Amino acid sequence: MGNIKLIKTEDGSHSLYNEELNETYHSQHGAYNESNHVFIKNGLKHFYFEHFPQSISILEIGFGTGLNALLTLKELTMLPNVNIKYTTLEPFPLSDEIVNGLNYGSLDMLASYKSQFEKIHQAEWGKMVSITERFSIKKMKMKLQDFESAESYDIVYFDAFAPNKQSEMWEYPVLEKVSLMMGAPSYLVTYCAKGQFKRDLASLNMEVETLAGPPGKKEMVRGTKI
């Protein structure tokens, strides 16, 4: 999908730049900080401390660099007595050359998870693979529009490219499809806070919260399905 280049963001962590879309995979203000704020703090941790489940099923729209998956695995060390099943969709997997160039394993906050990061990327596509005792991942090489699942997900990490770059991912029928795969209660979290997107979530009977965004971005959104 276009020419992909490694870039370093302001917090020192790598992201990628897609030349075809003229879009980065993460905020240039900090890939680590953005993912941690949007998906971990306001998604995973919020769900855990609201419900204290024994297991959490996550659906990620946009595996990309694997940073969200790695941060989810990392956070498990702080969340006792819970297992995570992580399903992630990515129609355009990165090349080994790009993956091997990512610097997450050399960052102070992620250095001890380098081997797990490698296992996440080496995991066979289409199969649920155990990375640790409490974290399993299933990577699906397909678009959301082609994905079908009988699973009921507790958290959706909606991490598609921005609406002005990949508008088809933010259309009502696609959001409706995601909503039908969400359990009750469940959360959808994303960096996007556009008005039409929030209205669409509300029309799908979600409670919509506009939250403070990560560094460099004013707002983000969490939709709650009751």
Side-chain angles (χ1 to χ4, degrees), residues 121-170:
H121 276 283
Q122 292 164 2
E124 184 177 350
W125 290 83
K127 292 187 177 181
M128 187 66 76
V129 178
S130 294
I131 306 299
T132 69
E133 276 190 12
R134 297 196 287 133
F135 181 90
S136 300
I137 190 168
K138 185 177 185 180
K139 302 186 300 184
M140 303 295 291
K141 196 182 301 185
M142 62 174 58
K143 296 180 179 179
L144 172 59
Q145 290 88 334
D146 300 324
F147 178 64
E148 302 292 339
S149 176
E151 184 99 32
S152 183
Y153 297 99
D154 301 307
I155 309 171
V156 175
Y157 293 172
F158 205 91
D159 201 14
F161 285 116
N164 64 333
K165 303 292 183 179
Q166 205 174 31
S167 60
E168 70 276 8
M169 294 298 297
W170 303 85

Side-chain angles (χ1 to χ4, degrees), residues 157-199:
Y157 293 172
F158 205 91
D159 201 14
F161 285 116
N164 64 333
K165 303 292 183 179
Q166 205 174 31
S167 60
E168 70 276 8
M169 294 298 297
W170 303 85
E171 293 172 354
Y172 185 87
V174 172
L175 300 176
E176 183 179 35
K177 177 176 184 173
V178 172
S179 174
L180 291 172
M181 291 189 283
M182 294 171 64
S186 60
Y187 300 136
L188 181 152
V189 283
T190 183
Y191 62 86
C192 178
K194 290 194 174 295
Q196 186 58 55
F197 171 67
K198 291 190 282 187
R199 289 189 290 273

Side-chain angles (χ1 to χ4, degrees), residues 14-224:
H14 271 153
S15 185
L16 303 175
Y17 173 67
N18 184 306
E19 291 183 322
E20 183 180 321
L21 293 178
N22 186 28
E23 179 78 333
T24 59
Y25 278 55
H26 307 91
S27 168
Q28 296 192 55
H29 293 278
Y32 176 94
N33 286 336
E34 179 186 44
S35 290
N36 201 54
H37 179 87
V38 174
F39 301 108
I40 306 305
K41 177 184 175 183
N42 288 298
L44 174 60
K45 288 175 71 174
H46 186 77
F47 185 86
Y48 178 84
F49 288 111
E50 285 286 315
H51 305 291
F52 294 100
Q54 291 184 326
S55 64
I56 299 175
S57 184
I58 296 173
L59 174 64
E60 178 185 40
I61 314 301
F63 176 66
T65 65
L67 180 58
N68 295 337
L70 180 63
L71 293 184
T72 300
L73 182 153
K74 174 181 178 288
E75 195 62 33
L76 265 181
T77 62
M78 306 296 292
L79 306 179
N81 305 318
V82 62
N83 298 311
I84 289 180
K85 289 174 62 181
Y86 194 100
T87 300
T88 181
L89 310 182
E90 179 54 68
F92 305 106
L94 299 172
S95 68
D96 289 343
E97 180 183 4
I98 290 289
V99 171
N100 292 336
L102 292 166
N103 70 349
Y104 304 146
S106 63
L107 299 175
D108 288 345
M109 56 278 205
L110 293 174
S112 58
Y113 298 90
K114 183 177 181 180
S115 64
Q116 288 96 328
F117 183 64
E118 291 171 352
K119 288 178 182 178
I120 286 170
H121 276 283
Q122 292 164 2
E124 184 177 350
W125 290 83
K127 292 187 177 181
M128 187 66 76
V129 178
S130 294
I131 306 299
T132 69
E133 276 190 12
R134 297 196 287 133
F135 181 90
S136 300
I137 190 168
K138 185 177 185 180
K139 302 186 300 184
M140 303 295 291
K141 196 182 301 185
M142 62 174 58
K143 296 180 179 179
L144 172 59
Q145 290 88 334
D146 300 324
F147 178 64
E148 302 292 339
S149 176
E151 184 99 32
S152 183
Y153 297 99
D154 301 307
I155 309 171
V156 175
Y157 293 172
F158 205 91
D159 201 14
F161 285 116
N164 64 333
K165 303 292 183 179
Q166 205 174 31
S167 60
E168 70 276 8
M169 294 298 297
W170 303 85
E171 293 172 354
Y172 185 87
V174 172
L175 300 176
E176 183 179 35
K177 177 176 184 173
V178 172
S179 174
L180 291 172
M181 291 189 283
M182 294 171 64
S186 60
Y187 300 136
L188 181 152
V189 283
T190 183
Y191 62 86
C192 178
K194 290 194 174 295
Q196 186 58 55
F197 171 67
K198 291 190 282 187
R199 289 189 290 273
D200 286 343
L201 292 187
S203 70
L204 290 166
N205 297 317
M206 289 193 206
E207 293 181 359
V208 179
E209 297 173 87
T210 303
L211 307 171
K217 187 166 176 60
K218 185 179 178 182
E219 297 173 338
M220 62 160 286
V221 162
R222 179 170 60 222
T224 303

